[in-house]
Amino acid sequence: MADTLHLERPYRDALRACGLDSVPRILAHSTGEVAAWSRTTDTTRVPGPAGQPGFYLKRYRYPTWNKRFRGMLRGTFFHKHRGQEEYGLLSSMRRLGIPAVRPVAYGARRSAHFVTDCFLITEEVPGACNLTSFASDVRAGRRSIDVSMRRAMCTELAERMAAMHEAGFAHGQLFWRNVLVRVACTGAPEFFFLDARPRRGRRWLARRSERYLNELAHTAASALPFTSRTERMRFVTRYLHVRQLQLEPRDVHRYLLQLADRYASHELQRIRMAERFETWNRHLALEQQALDGLG
């Protein structure tokens, strides 16, 4: 076994205090709120020390040799593993002035040079949650926003995505679960991007305009359960205006809905899973409050 770890120097003390300063401790870490989970990946929020912002730990597991060989075919044997690639993409976004979460560490464990586990650690954005969870809370009545805020969010997200595409960056999977939102002290909405996807295969060969259209379709697939046609049209109109694209918004909206159809079923499943994790975390928080009261 061979372990590699990169920690950003300003964050080493905080990561050490959280038990995230070595590959064995990071791979064994089992506390915190579960933000996402699948058979081969998990994402956990780890609270920060002494009231400081926490971290999000995203781990990729390759438990079988079949999965390790598949990873090798994707370039992990001779090149960067998934955690390192995402670290580089987020760093590139920030250099371009795109609001992205801050990556602070990445690492991997290898066996015979095959990646068996790898991970990425990002800094928490205080007061932010992913846009799918935000919209689910609004729909369920757990959060309230007025019409002006809904309009402001449509406009701001369209402007941020248009600016990203104008900078020449393709995110790869711009579903709402990969967009964080919070309300700034001025009362305006702020958005931050995460989980940029490495470009391989057809995504690498696709024309830039095709990549951007697919990303807009990702956003449309996430928006459909929560937004009206008027709101989606406002988003499309603002996006086209910022990029100075002389296209008819209604035609673009219609085309994006056609593209979004291929993602709609899977996205609904992801939304349901996200709601289950949020419910689980709320119950855990209530249990912890009850325990603290007994203490």
Side-chain angles (χ1 to χ4, degrees):
M1 292 287 184
D3 293 343
T4 56
L5 175 64
H6 170 81
L7 303 176
E8 288 291 324
R9 189 176 297 276
Y11 293 88
R12 290 181 180 177
D13 290 342
L15 290 168
R16 185 179 303 112
C18 294
L20 301 175
D21 60 333
S22 72
V23 173
R25 296 181 75 186
I26 289 169
L27 295 182
H29 200 280
S30 59
T31 60
E33 297 177 6
V34 176
W37 179 88
S38 72
R39 286 174 295 179
T40 56
T41 65
D42 63 82
T43 303
T44 304
R45 178 188 174 273
V46 182
Q52 297 178 33
F55 301 98
Y56 277 88
L57 167 61
K58 184 177 184 181
R59 293 178 290 201
Y60 293 92
R61 311 281 193 177
Y62 305 93
T64 65
W65 281 105
N66 179 49
K67 294 185 182 299
R68 295 170 192 174
F69 276 112
R70 289 176 63 185
M72 180 191 73
L73 295 175
R74 293 171 180 165
T76 61
F77 194 83
F78 296 108
H79 302 290
K80 299 175 182 178
H81 55 76
R82 184 67 182 270
Q84 187 176 0
E85 283 189 310
E86 288 190 30
Y87 178 96
L89 289 170
L90 290 172
S91 298
S92 295
M93 294 174 75
R94 293 176 63 85
R95 284 194 296 270
L96 290 169
I98 301 167
V101 297
R102 184 187 300 275
V104 299
Y106 65 84
R109 171 166 288 174
R110 294 177 182 266
S111 176
H113 206 66
F114 288 89
V115 175
T116 63
D117 305 89
C118 66
F119 56 85
L120 170 73
I121 302 175
T122 57
E123 184 181 28
E124 177 184 25
V125 178
C129 70
N130 76 70
L131 190 50
T132 292
S133 296
F134 185 96
S136 294
D137 284 346
V138 171
R139 184 170 63 179
R142 292 186 295 269
R143 188 190 297 265
S144 178
I145 59 173
D146 58 22
V147 173
S148 62
M149 175 57 77
R150 293 183 73 104
R151 290 176 178 170
M153 292 178 71
C154 284
T155 300
E156 180 67 14
L157 182 58
E159 291 179 355
R160 297 285 70 76
M161 287 181 59
M164 175 166 55
H165 291 164
E166 279 296 295
F169 189 89
H171 180 281
Q173 47 181 10
L174 267 178
F175 299 99
W176 277 13
R177 61 180 179 271
N178 294 328
V179 181
L180 300 181
V181 61
R182 72 177 179 187
V183 179
C185 58
T186 61
E190 292 183 312
F191 292 98
F192 304 84
F193 300 105
L194 65 151
D195 283 358
R197 187 176 187 182
R199 293 190 293 275
R200 300 190 183 94
R202 291 187 62 234
R203 292 192 304 277
W204 180 258
L205 298 173
R207 291 177 299 174
R208 186 170 292 179
S209 59
E210 183 182 344
R211 297 175 197 162
Y212 298 164
L213 282 170
N214 277 326
E215 292 183 2
L216 290 170
H218 297 163
T219 302
S222 295
L224 279 170
F226 304 108
T227 59
S228 66
R229 183 181 185 279
T230 298
E231 288 170 330
R232 294 191 297 274
M233 281 294 299
R234 180 177 292 113
F235 173 92
V236 170
T237 301
R238 188 59 184 169
Y239 176 91
L240 295 175
H241 175 77
V242 172
R243 297 203 62 201
Q244 299 182 355
L245 298 175
Q246 303 302 313
L247 300 171
E248 172 54 51
R250 282 189 293 269
D251 294 338
V252 174
H253 178 255
R254 189 180 306 112
Y255 183 65
L256 290 178
L257 290 182
Q258 293 173 4
L259 288 180
D261 188 59
R262 72 181 71 170
Y263 308 112
S265 177
H266 183 255
E267 186 60 8
L268 281 174
Q269 177 63 20
R270 294 297 296 262
I271 290 170
R272 285 193 289 267
M273 288 297 296
E275 290 176 342
R276 289 175 188 171
F277 283 123
E278 290 295 327
T279 300
W280 183 22
N281 287 327
R282 284 195 297 271
H283 289 167
L284 287 177
L286 290 173
E287 290 177 8
Q288 187 60 51
Q289 290 175 10
L291 290 173
D292 292 341
L294 292 175

